Amino acid sequence: MKKHFPEILLGFDFGMKRIGVAVGQTVTKTARPLCVVKASQGTPEWDALTKLIHTWQPDALVVGIPLNMDGTEQPLTYAAKHFADLLHQRFDLPVYGIDERLTSVEAKARLFSEGGYKALKNTSIDSIAAQLILQNWLAQLRNNET
C-alpha cells in the first residue's frame, strides 16, 4: 500500500558540477548529509542517483531552488527546476522545491567553525547544503502542522 505522507526524504542541493544529497525523515523532522553526486553541466550521474533512490527508497524528494536575494529567478533557478522535473519523470516520486537562499553560505560557515579553512576545501559543503535545504523543508512542514 502506497504511503500518503512522505516519511523518508532525499534532499538535493543542485549544482552544475556537483549535487549535494541529504536524507531525512518526517517522523523526527531531522536530516543528515549523505553524499555528493557529480554532474556535468547540470546533468547528474543518473546511475548514482538511481542507486541512492533504490537504497533509501524515499517517499518524496526535495530540491533546493536557487533564487537571487531579492527573490527573482536566475539561470540556475531554471536548471534546478528542470532537474526537479527530471527527478519526477525518472523516479515517479513527488518532488518538492524550496527556496535555498543562503544554504551554501550557512554550510560553509558551519564547516569553517568545525574545521577551519581545510574543512572548506572538502566537497561536503554540497551535502551539508542539501541537509539544510531538507531541514528547512521539514521546518516548514512542522510549522504547517501547528
Side-chain angles (χ1 to χ4, degrees):
M1 187 167 152
K2 188 76 173 162
K3 299 171 189 167
H4 297 296
F5 190 74
E7 292 180 12
I8 303 296
L9 303 156
L10 287 182
F12 299 93
D13 177 40
F14 176 80
M16 298 302 283
K17 295 180 181 178
R18 292 179 308 278
I19 298 170
V21 185
V23 62
Q25 58 174 309
T26 57
V27 174
T28 61
K29 307 265 190 307
T30 59
R32 67 179 178 89
L34 198 55
C35 64
V36 174
V37 173
K38 290 183 182 178
S40 176
Q41 297 178 356
T43 301
E45 290 183 351
W46 285 111
D47 289 344
L49 287 179
T50 299
K51 185 175 180 182
L52 286 169
I53 297 293
H54 287 137
T55 299
W56 290 96
Q57 298 185 8
D59 302 297
L61 310 173
V62 178
V63 176
I65 306 297
L67 300 169
N68 292 317
M69 289 310 294
D70 63 1
T72 58
E73 295 186 340
Q74 55 177 300
L76 197 55
T77 306
Y78 303 110
K81 287 180 176 182
H82 181 67
F83 171 68
D85 289 342
L86 291 174
L87 284 172
H88 176 68
Q89 291 170 18
R90 193 174 276 255
F91 301 111
D92 194 30
L93 290 168
V95 179
Y96 302 98
I98 184 170
D99 180 353
E100 68 152 36
R101 281 179 279 184
L102 299 179
T103 54
S104 292
V105 172
E106 188 177 339
K108 288 176 186 175
R110 184 182 293 184
L111 276 174
F112 182 79
S113 71
E114 292 172 2
Y117 286 107
K118 285 184 181 180
L120 290 179
K121 294 181 181 182
N122 190 333
T123 57
S124 63
I125 290 170
D126 301 300
S127 60
I128 290 173
Q131 175 192 16
L132 294 170
I133 288 164
L134 198 46
Q135 284 178 329
N136 289 342
W137 189 86
L138 289 164
Q140 283 185 1
L141 185 67
R142 182 174 38 241
N143 291 340
N144 290 338
E145 290 175 350
T146 57

